Amino acid sequence: MSGITTLGQFIIEKQADFPYAKGELSRLLRDIGIAAKIVNREVNKAGLVDILGDAGQVNVQGEGQKKLDVYADEQFIKALQSGENAV
């Protein structure tokens, strides 16, 4: 698979361009990438699990929330809270 750069490879290569960087942005991007992979896995099997349709909640814009949106939001929150950048 030549010509394809993974997120991890890109982060490592670009961080080397900034020797004074502490790696905080790299860790944040890694955490976001992990959450995205988890959500992607659920999207791929969305028809097999009960993750499609309305969640029965309304967002701040007054729109009905979808189960997949709520799930994705929860996964990103978990990933960012458990990451090394968590406060």
Side-chain angles (χ1 to χ4, degrees):
M1 298 184 95
S2 64
I4 296 177
T5 303
T6 67
L7 177 60
Q9 291 169 329
F10 177 80
I11 291 168
I12 290 168
E13 290 171 7
K14 293 303 175 185
Q15 185 172 332
D17 293 344
F18 301 92
Y20 52 86
K22 297 178 183 176
E24 294 164 340
L25 178 61
S26 298
R27 287 188 293 276
L28 177 62
L29 291 172
R30 184 204 60 223
D31 294 344
I32 291 171
I34 290 169
K37 287 180 182 182
I38 293 169
V39 172
N40 179 61
R41 182 189 66 211
E42 292 302 308
V43 167
N44 287 335
K45 63 179 184 178
L48 304 174
V49 294
D50 187 31
I51 201 163
L52 297 175
D54 290 327
Q57 302 168 14
V58 177
N59 66 19
V60 295
Q61 288 86 20
E63 305 163 331
Q65 287 183 307
K66 302 296 182 188
K67 291 179 184 178
L68 188 56
D69 293 335
V70 172
Y71 177 81
D73 185 51
E74 291 169 355
Q75 296 310 309
F76 276 88
I77 289 170
K78 285 180 189 177
L80 294 172
Q81 285 177 337
S82 66
E84 294 178 30
N85 290 326
V87 181

